[in-house]
Amino acid sequence: MGRVLGDGGWYFHVIDMAVVPEHQRRGLGDVVLTALLDRIRSCAPRGAFVNLLADPPGITLYSRHGFVATSPTSEGMALYLE
């Protein structure tokens, strides 16, 4: 599964990418990410910004689709509420 949050124009954030562990390493993540990116491309203008936060197991998948690290230009940040 996967979702995209966007502003309807220029900015899109890929979230909630997940494949059930027993189905991983079968290309399903590629299928989901390809579908999400195809959808974004169908409605977004050229030059739109697509980002995500990647955990180490996902970096290879996202890199294959053209994602690159944004640091030091920008850094992902988080706040864990108590």
Side-chain angles (χ1 to χ4, degrees):
M1 70 173 198
R3 291 192 301 155
V4 173
L5 293 178
D7 66 356
W10 290 95
Y11 301 99
F12 301 87
H13 186 70
V14 176
I15 60 171
D16 297 338
M17 285 287 299
V19 174
V20 176
E22 55 267 21
H23 295 290
Q24 292 175 354
R25 305 282 180 245
R26 297 182 185 176
L28 296 174
D30 276 310
V31 170
V32 171
L33 188 56
T34 296
L36 294 176
L37 293 174
D38 286 349
R39 175 69 175 133
I40 293 169
R41 287 184 180 104
S42 75
C43 66
R46 186 167 174 79
F49 182 76
V50 182
N51 73 345
L52 54 80
L53 295 173
D55 56 4
I59 292 172
T60 302
L61 167 65
Y62 302 129
S63 295
R64 279 198 310 267
H65 287 267
F67 286 88
V68 297
T70 58
S71 64
T73 305
S74 64
E75 294 288 336
M77 299 177 73
L79 170 65
Y80 296 96
L81 300 176
E82 294 181 25

